[in-house]
Amino acid sequence: MDNRCLTCHSKTVDLLIDKFNLQGEVAGDFSSEVNHLLTNCKHLSNPYLALLIHRLAKKKIQNDDLYREEKKHANSILYSQYKKWVAFVNENDESLHIAAKLAVVGNIVDYGAHSVPADIPAKIEELLALDFALDDRDEMFAEVKKAESVLYLGDNAGEIVFDKLFIQHLNHPNLTYVVRGNPIINDVTFEDAEQVGMQDVCRVISNGHDAPSTLVDNCSEEFQELYTKATVVISKGQGNFEGLLNEKRKSLYFMLMAKCDIMAEMLGVNKGDLIITKKQEGSLWRLK
């Protein structure tokens, strides 16, 4: 936990109060209870604190899926252009490389980061011009090619469309895509996977938990077994990175955009940079 994270969580609360037009006692109680969490959160991981705040929001707002419409909208917009993106990738001499880049660029669709562009497809086309700050694509492709099994940890709705396209190009016979156990922010669930037809290209399972991250010890036994046995794990997004950055396992790859200064500092890159990097077994990232 970094003190700068607390500012971001406070902003989340303000946005939720505005989004659902909370007023009077409801808004006051919500703010007060979150402030109590923020004052006593030093023992918590950042993803777990986000989980507690959103569980509280669901209870106060009486809504189990706070970003359902935004998720459907992002999925619909990008999936409606799926044939266009397939053609774009297939026309490229390095189709697997560009499919991976699209999957990372799609990470811009993140309501938890408070910065979703108004025109999502246009922003994605703009970001495709960026180079990777960290790029372990070739090593990842080589490991996936000879892997017995691959576990792909999904992140956000909308970007799941590009996850599907990338998974099709990976063309691995034993790849499993993982969604959240219950709705949290705009993270992917079974509903999102079904909307974009993810089940047509790979197996889809839930991790059994509702953190906006992958907190392995909190996940289902099914997930933990797959995670332990997987030859290669591909982790999408900053939330999953936060939950797994201290994991000590072989062949763990992170694909994300660095969306805040803290994560950028940790990775030694700039905010907004594109990242595909392998976690070195036994190593820890440290803030500079």
Side-chain angles (χ1 to χ4, degrees), residues 59-275:
K59 180 180 178 180
K60 295 296 182 181
I61 298 168
Q62 297 185 330
N63 185 326
D64 289 333
D65 195 349
L66 301 172
Y67 289 90
R68 176 180 278 116
E69 296 308 314
E70 288 88 345
K71 290 191 294 179
K72 287 183 177 179
H73 176 68
N75 288 336
S76 178
I77 286 178
L78 293 177
Y79 195 50
S80 69
Q81 299 182 345
Y82 194 67
K83 290 182 179 179
K84 165 194 165 181
W85 293 112
V86 168
F88 172 75
V89 170
N90 289 340
E91 289 167 2
N92 194 286
D93 292 336
E94 295 187 309
S95 58
L96 185 55
H97 282 76
I98 195 65
K101 191 174 190 179
L102 263 176
V104 174
V105 166
N107 194 222
I108 193 66
V109 188
D110 185 354
Y111 288 89
H114 319 305
S115 59
V116 178
D119 190 336
I120 296 172
K123 186 63 177 180
I124 287 168
E125 291 189 19
E126 175 189 328
L127 291 173
L128 280 171
L130 297 177
D131 292 326
F132 278 93
L134 299 175
D135 188 359
D136 289 336
R137 278 179 292 183
D138 287 333
E139 184 176 0
M140 180 173 68
F141 299 155
E143 288 205 45
V144 167
K145 187 174 183 179
K146 62 184 180 182
E148 291 185 12
S149 62
V150 179
L151 195 65
Y152 192 113
L153 311 180
D155 188 27
N156 296 323
E159 76 177 272
I160 191 177
V161 172
F162 298 120
D163 291 336
K164 178 182 177 181
L165 179 53
F166 178 42
I167 287 168
Q168 284 184 296
H169 279 268
L170 282 174
N171 194 30
H172 194 280
N174 188 17
L175 185 149
T176 300
Y177 186 83
V178 183
V179 300
R180 308 298 188 217
N182 284 298
I184 179 75
I185 317 179
N186 67 315
D187 288 30
V188 289
T189 62
F190 274 128
E191 184 177 357
D192 301 294
E194 290 173 359
Q195 187 178 351
V196 305
M198 181 64 81
Q199 68 278 0
D200 296 335
V201 300
C202 65
R203 178 189 180 194
V204 180
I205 70 158
S206 157
N207 70 6
H209 196 233
D210 57 337
S213 180
T214 300
L215 306 178
V216 177
D217 291 344
N218 296 69
C219 293
S220 67
E221 290 184 7
E222 178 189 25
F223 172 82
Q224 291 184 33
E225 182 176 0
L226 285 171
Y227 178 79
T228 300
K229 293 182 177 179
T231 314
V232 176
V233 174
I234 298 174
S235 167
K236 276 297 299 295
Q238 184 171 288
N240 282 329
F241 173 74
E242 290 184 75
L244 298 172
L245 61 90
N246 289 334
E247 282 290 300
K248 300 176 182 178
R249 61 150 294 141
K250 296 180 179 179
S251 298
L252 172 58
Y253 288 88
F254 294 109
M255 301 176 61
L256 68 148
M257 292 184 67
K259 293 176 184 169
C260 73
D261 293 329
I262 300 167
M263 294 299 107
E265 291 169 9
M266 190 173 289
L267 286 160
V269 301
N270 296 315
K271 183 178 177 180
D273 278 349
L274 308 183
I275 309 294

Side-chain angles (χ1 to χ4, degrees), residues 42-62:
K42 288 298 182 181
H43 63 292
L44 300 175
S45 70
N46 195 48
Y48 197 78
L49 177 58
L51 164 64
L52 294 180
I53 290 172
H54 282 85
R55 281 181 178 174
L56 180 60
K58 290 178 184 180
K59 180 180 178 180
K60 295 296 182 181
I61 298 168
Q62 297 185 330

